Amino acid sequence: MSTHTPAPTGTAPSAPARPRDGGALPGRATLAAAVPGAFRKLHPRTMARSPVMFVVLVGSVATTLLAAADPGDRFGWAVTAWLWLTVLFANLAEAVAEGRGRAQAESLRRTRTDTVARRLTADRAAEERVPGTALTVGDLVVCEAGDVIPGDGDVVEGVASVDESAITGESAPVIRESGGDRSAVTGGTRVLSDRIVVRITARPGETFIDRMIGLVEGAARQKTPNEVALTILLASLTVVFLLAVVTLRPFALFAGAGAQATPLVLTALLVCLIPTTIGALLSAIGIAGMDRLVRRNVLAVSGRAVEAAGDVSTLLLDKTGTITHGNRMAHAFLPVRGVTVAELAAAAQLSSLADETPEGRSVLRLAEDGHGLPARDLDAVPGADWIPFSATTRLSGVDVTDGGTVRRIRKGAAGSVARWVRDHGGVEPVEADRIADRVAAQGGTPLQVAVSDTEGARVLGVVHLKDTVKDGMRERFEELRRMGIRTVMITGDNPLTARVVAEEAGVDDFLAEATPEDKMALIRREQAEGRLVAMAGDGTNDAPALAQADVGVAMNTGTAAAKEAGNMVDLDSDPTKLIEIVEIGKQLLITRGALTTFSLANDVAKYFAIIPALFAATHPSLDRLNIMDLAGPQTAILAAVIFNALVIVALVPLALRGVRYRPAGADALLRRNLAVYGLGGLVVPFLGIKAVDWLLALFL
């Protein structure tokens, strides 16, 4: 291992400041930066993405032409000005939401540096210095203390402390090592100590940071299925109101009220009756939902994933690192009768030399530090054929040939070791199974160590691995139950261990001795029953299940395969954040539903404001509909148009912040939504239009 510290090959990026939550109101600088974007969005091709606001744009152009035909009509110019402000306010809401993403993207751009990579030659005998942009997939690069990692990749040799603050915003360094599920490194991060060899897995321009920049800017955001369905509904309502308003002109002419039902007034009526509030805020709500995830250091590949999180009904959580602390370390060697602790420790050490998992390395530490065995490496055992740990066989070990005699040693899960012993002519390990059951009953994880030599195949004993449940997990799972979400713990441990941990943590169910195929089968079974499934994972063996799940959250510390398979990446690598993701998804859906309810309800007040103004002069009996006692036809119409524009501005903070979510069932949430936003959508416009009408009458 190198002990010198070379000169840095790139400039260390500074950690961007990332607020954990957005404020309710956008700042003055944010608003100023968003105003040009609001005007750029007036392009018809951009406006056409929202049918409701496109109709408002067309109406604004039409009223502008009508007002220009009669320059002295102050009422026409006032209506026209406020219709244009309605369009601009809607664009401003979306521009503010996008502006927050661009600010975060800019902080990420500062992490990209032009590094010089130390690429290994084909025979790995020498290094050559090349620009980081010249690296291709599969290249091996050396990084030592002080070096900036030139690209995304996996550690294939060594272990090092890495500063990832430029990506995660966290100042504490993390350990990256070959093998296991903590081998992935990200370009732009800095090595703080030791030496690692990294295999590049992404081409320049397609790195993780590049993908993050595109996504947080909103460039890659597509409308979700629910968003598309709601857009179709709003477009349908717009067509219905358009037909209704168009027919008012001939009715008005027939009734003798044609003077009031002018094209300008009818355009104002149409804009007030169509659901402009939700049409203006719909895109901002979706962008803000992804923004809330990014502020919690979670990158969502699409808005669809955020939305799906809100509908999740089954949550799959790994035991290790999620429900428990994840530091399953070898605690003790427990030999069977006739075997000494020293013999078991020596066999466990040999069988773990090719095991790159954290558990395997902890066995080595216990054998060397706890039992005084000398440290060994793979080259120290002549005639050895090493068997690395495999998630399929759940075994690791070695075959040592000495003078024509082969001695085989295996370490792994009790069931796998028992099968291996039987396959090699051994007997059922009854005593070892009793020891394993005792370890499992204590909440530990038992690994068995077996040997096959001239004396036959037999189990030498058990390695006791210990782990503990994280504080507060039972309360979190109880909260999920109140949301109507079922939790399932996934573990490779035996059923007895899994049951003890599941009962302590308070999960609803568990899947023990889970293989990648078992996880896939469980997810498909849940989906076949109509449930949406969320899962967190970090290993290559989790990749198929992450791809199958409706919401797959990959840990940033995990393998490249896991991050490619999932539709979200947690930069903090905190699996319990999956619970927060579900809450953010539900908040997104509730916010959209609440503002849709408010938008549809507040049309009622505008109806009572404008219809009496149109026909009351011809049909005095309709004046009874003027329940707000508005001053006159022009002030009533103008008050409705002004309120219609201002309510968009008033609701922008709520769209960006989101409606506060409280764990409750769907029925309770629906009742609360109707009581607060349905009733509020009826009452607030009456008060608002009346207040604006009073001011107009006072000053005009």
Side-chain angles (χ1 to χ4, degrees):
M1 181 178 295
S2 174
T3 57
H4 73 287
T5 302
T9 57
T11 303
S14 59
R18 295 223 190 118
R20 286 292 182 179
D21 214 344
L25 292 170
R28 187 175 301 174
T30 303
L31 283 174
V35 168
F39 280 94
R40 285 193 296 270
K41 289 179 181 293
L42 290 175
H43 193 288
R45 188 174 300 171
T46 303
M47 295 297 299
R49 293 182 303 187
S50 173
V52 175
M53 298 315 301
F54 182 73
V55 170
V56 180
L57 176 67
V58 173
S60 302
V61 173
T63 57
T64 302
L65 296 176
L66 292 171
D70 185 5
D73 183 9
R74 290 188 300 171
F75 172 71
W77 284 113
V79 170
T80 298
W82 280 101
L83 290 184
W84 278 110
L85 286 174
T86 302
V87 179
L88 287 173
F89 289 158
N91 290 348
L92 188 65
E94 184 175 358
V96 167
E98 291 177 348
R100 292 185 173 189
R102 280 193 293 271
Q104 294 171 22
E106 186 58 36
S107 71
L108 289 170
R109 282 193 180 93
R110 291 197 295 269
T111 69
R112 295 194 299 189
T113 57
D114 296 325
T115 59
V116 176
R118 299 163 57 190
R119 183 171 62 187
L120 290 176
T121 57
D123 57 4
R124 302 185 64 169
E127 297 177 8
E128 54 183 355
R129 293 184 175 268
V130 298
T133 54
L135 295 174
T136 59
V137 176
D139 283 349
L140 296 177
V141 296
V142 176
C143 297
E144 295 185 305
D147 289 349
V148 174
I149 298 173
D152 293 359
D154 291 323
V155 178
V156 295
E157 180 183 314
V159 57
S161 175
V162 177
D163 176 13
E164 293 188 343
S165 60
I167 306 299
T168 65
E170 300 293 338
S171 58
V174 295
I175 300 299
R176 292 290 175 264
E177 54 189 343
S178 62
D181 295 333
R182 295 185 177 271
S183 60
V185 291
T186 305
T189 58
R190 178 189 280 277
V191 177
L192 297 180
S193 67
D194 301 301
R195 175 185 186 274
I196 53 175
V197 177
V198 177
R199 178 183 290 113
I200 300 298
T201 58
R203 291 186 291 270
E206 299 178 6
T207 64
F208 189 60
I209 291 180
D210 291 314
R211 289 172 55 202
M212 287 177 63
I213 290 171
L215 290 166
V216 300
E217 280 184 323
R221 196 188 90 88
Q222 302 296 324
K223 284 188 175 181
T224 65
N226 284 351
E227 216 172 332
V228 171
L230 183 55
T231 301
I232 294 173
L233 172 63
L234 297 180
S236 302
L237 290 174
T238 301
V239 171
V240 170
F241 283 120
L242 178 61
L243 294 174
V245 170
V246 167
T247 60
L248 281 179
R249 177 66 176 173
F251 278 127
L253 291 173
F254 178 77
Q260 285 79 23
T262 63
L264 187 142
V265 170
L266 292 177
T267 301
L269 173 63
L270 174 63
V271 171
C272 288
L273 291 186
I274 62 178
T276 51
T277 305
I278 185 60
L281 299 174
L282 184 59
S283 181
I285 293 169
I287 295 173
M290 295 186 69
D291 176 71
R292 283 193 290 275
L293 276 182
V294 172
R295 287 172 180 272
R296 287 166 175 79
N297 274 357
V298 177
L299 172 64
V301 173
S302 68
R304 181 193 299 262
V306 186
E307 196 170 86
D311 285 329
V312 161
S313 51
T314 302
L315 204 57
L316 307 186
L317 298 164
D318 274 340
K319 177 182 81 73
T320 305
T322 304
I323 296 173
T324 63
H325 283 286
N327 55 346
R328 292 192 310 173
M329 298 299 171
H331 173 66
F333 295 124
L334 308 174
V336 299
R337 281 193 303 270
V339 177
T340 65
V341 174
E343 291 172 340
L344 175 59
Q349 181 191 42
L350 280 176
S351 62
S352 300
L353 287 177
D355 184 357
E356 294 290 341
T357 66
E359 289 85 357
R361 291 180 176 177
S362 75
V363 172
L364 295 178
R365 284 194 293 271
L366 179 62
E368 295 163 8
D369 300 338
H371 294 271
L373 296 181
R376 310 177 78 169
D377 56 35
L378 300 182
D379 297 330
V381 184
D385 181 15
W386 301 101
I387 293 88
F389 175 80
S390 166
T392 303
T393 63
R394 298 166 60 82
L395 293 172
S396 67
V398 62
D399 295 342
V400 181
T401 304
D402 185 11
T405 301
V406 180
R407 186 171 187 256
R408 299 179 174 85
I409 305 174
R410 296 293 185 272
K411 174 186 82 355
S416 300
V417 170
R419 282 192 296 272
W420 183 84
V421 169
R422 288 194 298 269
D423 292 343
H424 287 76
V427 297
E428 194 73 23
V430 177
E431 184 182 356
D433 286 345
R434 283 200 296 267
I435 298 174
D437 291 343
R438 190 166 66 247
V439 170
Q442 299 170 0
T445 301
L447 298 179
Q448 292 187 0
V449 180
V451 64
S452 175
D453 52 20
T454 55
E455 299 179 16
R458 61 200 183 278
V459 175
L460 300 179
V462 173
V463 180
H464 182 184
L465 301 180
K466 290 187 67 174
D467 199 356
T468 55
V469 174
K470 292 181 178 179
D471 294 336
M473 292 306 297
R474 177 174 287 276
E475 290 75 15
R476 298 298 296 272
F477 292 138
E478 182 59 37
E479 187 175 307
L480 288 170
R481 265 189 291 277
R482 290 199 298 272
M483 298 182 198
I485 297 174
R486 175 172 169 264
T487 53
V488 181
M489 182 184 75
I490 307 295
T491 178
D493 294 336
N494 64 64
L496 188 55
T497 302
R499 181 173 289 105
V500 171
V501 177
E503 290 175 354
E504 183 179 351
V507 295
D508 298 311
D509 201 357
F510 65 87
L511 178 66
E513 295 182 341
T515 64
E517 294 77 14
D518 293 334
K519 298 177 186 178
M520 286 282 289
L522 175 60
I523 293 173
R524 287 173 176 162
R525 194 161 57 245
E526 293 286 328
Q527 290 172 334
E529 295 175 1
R531 302 187 183 98
L532 265 64
V533 180
M535 175 186 171
D538 58 1
T540 301
N541 63 335
D542 291 326
L546 288 171
Q548 179 68 34
D550 300 285
V551 180
V553 183
M555 302 297 104
N556 189 42
T557 56
T559 61
K563 288 191 279 190
E564 287 293 330
N567 49 25
M568 292 188 187
V569 178
D570 177 15
L571 302 180
D572 293 333
S573 299
D574 177 10
T576 60
K577 199 179 290 183
L578 187 56
I579 299 172
E580 290 184 51
I581 292 171
V582 170
E583 292 175 349
I584 291 173
K586 286 188 176 295
Q587 186 184 38
L588 170 65
L589 296 179
I590 291 171
T591 302
R592 185 185 297 152
L595 293 183
T596 301
T597 303
F598 184 92
S599 179
L600 296 177
N602 72 16
D603 288 340
V604 175
K606 301 169 195 172
Y607 173 87
F608 279 101
I610 296 180
I611 295 299
L614 289 177
F615 295 99
T618 307
H619 300 280
S621 60
L622 289 179
D623 194 51
R624 296 175 183 174
L625 295 177
N626 186 15
I627 59 178
M628 289 181 278
D629 191 26
L630 302 180
Q634 289 193 347
T635 59
I637 293 169
L638 190 55
V641 172
I642 293 174
F643 176 83
N644 191 62
L646 293 180
V647 75
I648 294 173
V649 179
L651 291 176
V652 166
L654 183 61
L656 297 180
R657 185 186 66 241
V659 175
R660 184 178 178 184
Y661 172 69
R662 296 184 181 90
D667 292 342
L669 290 175
L670 178 61
R671 287 193 299 270
R672 174 173 171 263
N673 191 32
L674 292 175
V676 176
Y677 296 96
L679 185 60
L682 288 172
V683 174
V684 171
F686 279 99
L687 300 176
I689 291 175
K690 176 60 180 176
V692 175
D693 177 78
W694 179 78
L695 290 173
L696 290 174
L698 181 66
F699 291 103
L700 300 180

